[in-house]
């Protein structure tokens, strides 16, 4: 399901360079950048569970953005372009929105563009899209050219959520069960993929993913930890898990590690409160 051949630069370099951007230059995308981005997301047509999805780039006039609170609790400045993924409703609509949308984010980053996810967004931004009753837009992406200097609002918000800080390995990755942490050495060839996952963005930087590797196999069970109830209610944690899965898979493929996403009963006898099974990555072709 991933598309590593459509990235022109090393994915590790792109993932490490990606940061959420909320302050943009007051201009639309250049035609060449827009064309390359549209060509890329045109290849993303369905989620891991078969849901059909179409991405749409919308350009906004400056006068129409004035006075609008475009996304979440952050005042986005000069957000002239946004991308929406219209996906079929399903149990996994938000997971797949995050999984596919993060591919778009990373391609935009590769092109030198700034991006930011918005799970809370002004309905104005998708007013011209034809969204059927069996479809939904779980989140949107802002995209544009990052301003040279962040706005004061953005700087304060990033400080509040410690936007550049990620949880250490021993809080996120485990071996065999949730009692034993997974070291980089024990992760073996998958240490790089897990590090790419660790760097993934998430709502409010909550990092709601927990990964358990089976003791003697390269099988990784992905769990969702409910960190904030309001994010869980809005299904933002599910989007976050999809983003994490995208980073992990691309990180694995980048080092020649093939695998498949599956859903099955894991063998863990107990899981912590508020932690829920999502999917499993199984090594092999």
């Amino acid at each position: 399901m991933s598309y590593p051949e459509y990235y022109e630069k090393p994915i590790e370099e792109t993932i490490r360079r990606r940061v959420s951007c909320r302050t943009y230059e007051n201009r639309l995308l250049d035609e060449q950048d827009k064309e390359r981005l549209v060509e890329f997301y045109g290849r993303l047509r369905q989620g891991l569970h078969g849901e059909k999805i179409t991405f749409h780039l919308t350009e906004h006039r400056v006068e129409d953005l004035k006075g609008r609170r475009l996304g979440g609790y952050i005042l986005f400045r000069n957000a002239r372009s946004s991308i929406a993924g219209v996906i079929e409703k399903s149990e996994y609509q938000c997971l797949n929105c995050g999984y596919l949308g993060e591919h778009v984010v990373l391609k935009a980053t590769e092109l030198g563009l700034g991006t930011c996810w918005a799970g809370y967004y002004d309905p104005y931004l998708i007013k011209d899209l034809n969204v059927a009753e069996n479809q939904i837009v779980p989140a949107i992406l802002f995209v544009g050219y990052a301003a040279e200097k962040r706005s004061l609002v953005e700087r304060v918000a990033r400080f509040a959520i410690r936007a550049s800080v990620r949880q250490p390995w021993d809080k996120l990755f485990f071996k065999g069960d949730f009692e034993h942490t997974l070291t980089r050495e024990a992760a073996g060839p998958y240490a790089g993929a897990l590090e790419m996952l660790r760097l993934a963005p998430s709502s409010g930087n909550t990092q709601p993913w927990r990964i358990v590797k089976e003791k003697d196999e390269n099988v990784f069970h992905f769990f969702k930890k409910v960190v904030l109830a309001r994010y869980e209610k809005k299904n933002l944690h599910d989007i976050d898990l999809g983003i994490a899965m995208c980073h992990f898979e691309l990180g694995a493929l980048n080092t020649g590690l093939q695998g498949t996403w599956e859903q099955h009963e894991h063998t863990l006898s107990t899981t912590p409160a508020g932690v829920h099974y999502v999917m499993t990555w199984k090594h092999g072709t």
Side-chain angles (χ1 to χ4, degrees):
M1 285 300 299
S2 275
Y3 301 82
E5 65 271 27
Y6 298 137
Y7 296 98
E8 299 171 21
K9 297 180 180 179
I11 199 64
E12 179 177 352
E13 171 188 320
T14 301
I15 286 175
R16 291 187 181 278
R17 190 157 51 90
R18 185 223 60 83
V19 293
S20 296
C21 173
R22 298 174 180 86
T23 311
Y24 300 91
E25 293 181 0
N26 188 9
R27 62 187 177 108
L28 298 174
L29 298 182
D30 294 343
E31 286 302 316
Q32 184 179 19
D33 288 335
K34 182 165 64 173
E35 182 179 327
R36 293 176 71 185
L37 197 56
V38 170
E39 179 185 12
F40 176 83
Y41 69 57
R43 299 183 174 107
L44 308 177
R45 297 192 177 98
Q46 69 175 28
L48 293 168
H49 302 82
E51 304 92 339
K52 293 180 181 178
I53 188 170
T54 55
F55 287 96
H56 304 268
L57 173 67
T58 303
E59 298 177 333
H60 310 290
R61 301 189 307 170
V62 176
E63 51 268 35
D64 293 336
L65 297 178
K66 290 181 179 178
R68 292 187 177 277
R69 192 171 183 174
L70 297 179
Y73 59 92
I74 299 296
L75 176 63
F76 286 85
R77 180 171 294 181
N78 299 325
R80 298 285 305 278
S81 301
S82 61
I83 296 175
V86 181
I87 190 169
E88 288 180 325
K89 292 180 179 178
S90 76
E91 181 180 355
Y92 303 102
Q93 61 196 24
C94 293
L95 181 81
N96 283 290
C97 173
Y99 172 79
L100 293 169
E102 186 65 6
H103 281 81
V104 181
V105 165
L106 294 174
K107 186 61 178 182
T109 302
E110 180 183 90
L111 294 174
L113 303 174
T115 61
C116 190
W117 279 94
Y120 296 96
Y121 60 87
D122 190 326
Y124 158 80
L125 297 170
I126 62 169
K127 65 181 179 63
D128 294 328
L129 299 186
N130 182 21
V131 182
E133 289 188 6
N134 69 327
Q135 297 175 320
I136 190 172
V137 181
I140 66 166
L141 301 170
F142 290 111
V143 59
Y145 301 99
E148 186 175 338
K149 186 177 181 180
R150 293 187 176 112
S151 70
L152 176 61
V153 174
E154 179 173 6
R155 295 200 302 272
V156 170
R158 288 181 61 83
F159 177 80
I161 64 173
R162 304 176 72 212
S164 299
V165 178
R166 295 294 187 267
Q167 295 272 15
W169 268 60
D170 61 359
K171 301 294 183 182
L172 301 175
F173 308 135
F174 303 87
K175 183 178 180 180
D177 53 38
F178 282 98
E179 299 297 322
H180 299 84
T181 58
L182 177 68
T183 64
R184 293 175 186 268
E185 292 73 22
Y190 276 92
L194 289 169
E195 180 62 15
M196 294 302 98
L197 184 162
R198 195 180 72 88
L199 298 176
S202 56
S203 307
N205 198 26
T206 48
Q207 305 161 63
W209 40 76
R210 299 294 183 269
I211 317 301
V212 179
K213 178 187 180 299
E214 291 194 2
K215 286 184 178 180
D216 302 316
E217 296 184 76
N218 284 322
V219 175
F220 297 82
H221 301 296
F222 281 59
F223 292 82
K224 174 181 65 176
K225 176 179 173 59
V226 178
V227 180
L228 288 178
R230 69 177 184 275
Y231 285 176
E232 175 67 2
K233 184 177 181 180
K234 183 67 174 175
N235 296 317
L236 300 188
H237 283 334
D238 292 298
I239 295 173
D240 296 337
L241 261 292
I243 293 171
M245 288 165 56
C246 170
H247 278 228
F248 177 86
E249 181 176 22
L250 287 175
L253 294 174
N254 183 57
T255 53
L257 298 170
Q258 299 288 331
T260 55
W261 291 109
E262 302 177 358
Q263 279 183 307
H264 55 72
E265 290 296 326
H266 59 80
T267 58
L268 278 66
S269 57
T270 60
T271 57
V275 174
H276 311 282
Y277 172 74
V278 177
M279 286 194 79
T280 294
W281 170 271
K282 186 175 182 180
H283 177 79
T285 56

